[in-house]
Amino acid sequence: MAFKSPVYDVIAVPIEKVIPNTYNPNAVAPPEMKLLYDSIKEDGYTMPIVCYYAKTKDLYVIVDGFHRYRIMLDHPDIYEREGGMLPVSVINKSLDNRMASTIRHNRARGAHDVDLMSNIIKELHEIGRSDMWIAKHLGMDKDEILRLKQVTGLASLFKDIKFGEAWKPVKDELYEKSPKADCKEASDEEKKRAGSVQ
């Protein structure tokens, strides 16, 4: 069967059945939230909220679209106009892959909170995801992952890091020879030259 994008199966879900995830590192400043409200007020919901359906609880967990969800919660005029229903497209993915989807959606828009992003890296490591997996699925390079690990300050995140040659002591011939071996009294001529340079 050919792949079908979730956006072709948007459903209307009562907002009471939609809940936020616990890990979203995207933060929107008040002026942008005001703009989002204005956009939804003028144009309606033009993009669905991306959710995972938790069958056992009969709830829709947000993967992307938390702030569009907040607009309906915070603004009775939007809630009433929409009849309390949110447009939702459903993806069926494991938690780690939902986290990766959230990051991809956020990064594509260019908004990110560093502390929350660091927590995502920590959580992914705790459920067994490698730096290579994170790099591939979150679109990061190894230096960015390392910096985010440093923000958390947890030593356990560094157990798989192989430190480079810069950490090895280097042989330095200057210090390997006996200090007396090459020491000799400078000639009067050498002392004069040294004096003229100072």
Side-chain angles (χ1 to χ4, degrees), residues 117-171:
M117 188 64 196
S118 298
N119 287 334
I120 286 263
I121 300 298
K122 176 178 168 285
E123 285 185 48
L124 286 171
H125 269 284
E126 285 171 354
I127 59 176
R129 292 304 179 188
S130 67
D131 285 359
M132 190 179 294
W133 189 95
I134 292 170
K136 178 182 175 187
H137 292 276
L138 274 59
M140 296 179 169
D141 61 37
K142 63 181 183 179
D143 291 334
E144 189 174 6
I145 294 168
L146 179 60
R147 282 194 301 274
L148 288 166
K149 284 180 176 183
Q150 289 168 336
V151 170
T152 67
L154 287 179
S156 61
L157 297 183
F158 296 92
K159 66 179 172 39
D160 296 327
I161 301 286
K162 288 188 173 65
F163 291 98
E165 295 294 308
W167 290 94
K168 282 170 92 180
V170 182
K171 283 190 170 186

Side-chain angles (χ1 to χ4, degrees), residues 30-40:
E32 281 74 23
M33 283 299 283
K34 169 73 168 70
L35 186 61
L36 181 59
Y37 166 73
D38 292 342
S39 171
I40 290 171

Side-chain angles (χ1 to χ4, degrees), residues 2 45 57 87 89 98 111 119 153 164 174:
Y45 279 90
K57 296 182 178 179
S89 61
R98 294 198 307 270
N119 287 334
L174 182 65

Side-chain angles (χ1 to χ4, degrees), residues 19-94:
I19 60 171
N21 63 52
T22 58
Y23 55 81
N24 188 5
N26 193 5
V28 175
E32 281 74 23
M33 283 299 283
K34 169 73 168 70
L35 186 61
L36 181 59
Y37 166 73
D38 292 342
S39 171
I40 290 171
K41 185 171 178 61
E42 294 301 318
D43 303 326
Y45 279 90
T46 57
M47 289 185 290
I49 314 302
V50 181
C51 292
Y52 166 77
Y53 179 57
K55 198 178 219 175
T56 54
K57 296 182 178 179
D58 189 29
L59 292 172
Y60 293 81
V61 184
I62 297 172
V63 173
D64 181 68
F66 172 76
H67 297 97
R68 297 191 297 281
Y69 156 83
R70 284 295 323 170
I71 292 297
M72 185 178 285
L73 277 185
D74 296 343
H75 297 277
D77 58 329
I78 301 296
Y79 181 94
E80 287 166 25
R81 185 191 70 189
E82 301 291 328
M85 305 294 275
L86 276 173
V88 167
S89 61
V90 177
I91 60 171
N92 187 18
K93 293 186 170 188
S94 61

